[in-house]
Amino acid sequence: MVIQRIFRAVIMGPPGSGKGTVSGRIVKRFGLTHLSSGDLLRANIKAQTELGLLMKSCIDQGQLVPDDVISRLILTEMRSIEQSSWLLDGFPRTVAQAETLDGVCSVDTVINMDVPFQTIKQRLTSRWLHLPSGRVYNIDFNPPKIYGLDDVTGEPLIQRDDDTPETITRRLKSYENQTQPVLEYYRSKGMLETFSGTETNKIWPHIQAFLSKKLFHQNEKVVGKA
């Protein structure tokens, strides 16, 4: 699909909700540029940039990276793709970050993946990661072509130390406390579209249909103006 106007979307969902898998499908199907805060954070830490060193210091001390630091990281990257349609993943995570984003550009829609926490707990114990790229696999529904190896590089996959039931419960609760106000913020603006389910492959067709309709409708308006 060729998008005739700039389209900007945010995707939200707890860790293990299938957000990464769906993001990849959205990028492939609709041609959006994927902007992941996690990928940017890892890249900046690896390159030892000023922001990367600052974020690593926060993480090493067990502190949350301040809103203004994360916002600077994302907004700097956004300048390089300001004429592109994009999908923002992992940002904003707080209302302050959402307000900062609003001050810079208009977001067309916010996709919220609502997956039961019990499903996520079961799912994460089957999750494997290619650490250098951040690619995520799941033995149950998104397995690698060769067990234990990354599809792209053939390098070994690892299982995260914090993918334990106790840690997962804590992370999900933290996500809920931090992100619920952001969901309410976008809901109040009429921008939030929630997709509920327990299986990514069953949620995806609904997200695809929603985006197809939204993009087609907006393209019609652009053509009508011409």
Side-chain angles (χ1 to χ4, degrees), residues 24-187:
R25 292 178 183 180
I26 291 173
V27 169
K28 184 176 180 180
R29 176 71 178 85
F30 298 101
L32 276 63
T33 298
H34 185 211
L35 196 58
S36 164
S37 62
D39 290 348
L40 284 174
L41 189 148
R42 283 187 290 271
N44 275 263
I45 289 177
K46 185 176 180 180
Q48 296 188 327
T49 65
E50 179 187 351
L51 282 177
L53 292 172
L54 183 56
M55 289 185 292
K56 187 176 187 303
S57 174
C58 292
I59 293 168
D60 287 348
Q61 295 175 49
Q63 301 172 351
L64 291 174
V65 179
D67 284 335
D68 64 315
V69 176
I70 289 290
S71 296
R72 278 172 58 197
L73 175 73
I74 298 296
L75 298 183
T76 297
E77 187 67 21
M78 283 173 56
R79 292 190 192 101
S80 66
I81 58 169
E82 60 184 359
Q83 297 304 315
S84 302
S85 295
W86 44 250
L87 177 68
L88 198 48
D89 175 3
F91 181 92
R93 287 188 175 176
T94 66
V95 172
Q97 292 174 10
E99 291 173 342
T100 298
L101 180 61
D102 276 351
V104 174
C105 66
S106 298
V107 173
D108 292 291
T109 194
V110 177
I111 296 165
N112 174 41
M113 295 188 62
D114 177 32
V115 179
F117 282 3
Q118 188 56 42
T119 298
I120 290 174
K121 290 174 187 177
Q122 293 170 353
R123 187 180 288 178
L124 288 183
T125 57
S126 301
R127 187 168 76 166
W128 291 81
L129 175 72
H130 180 244
L131 195 57
S133 69
R135 276 186 290 276
V136 178
Y137 300 87
N138 190 287
I139 301 305
D140 294 332
F141 66 88
N142 182 38
K145 294 174 184 176
I146 300 174
Y147 181 81
L149 300 178
D150 178 53
D151 286 351
V152 177
T153 66
E155 294 172 342
L157 303 175
I158 66 164
Q159 192 158 38
R160 292 168 55 133
D161 292 335
D162 58 356
D163 278 348
T164 62
E166 297 78 18
T167 305
I168 291 167
T169 298
R170 195 161 55 245
R171 288 168 60 203
L172 290 174
K173 193 64 180 175
S174 175
Y175 172 86
E176 184 178 43
N177 292 338
Q178 185 181 51
T179 309
Q180 195 60 41
V182 183
L183 297 177
E184 293 300 329
Y185 174 84
Y186 283 123
R187 185 179 287 112

Side-chain angles (χ1 to χ4, degrees), residues 21 25 141 199-205:
T21 299
R25 292 178 183 180
F141 66 88
E199 297 179 39
T200 302
N201 286 339
K202 291 185 178 179
I203 296 175
W204 164 242

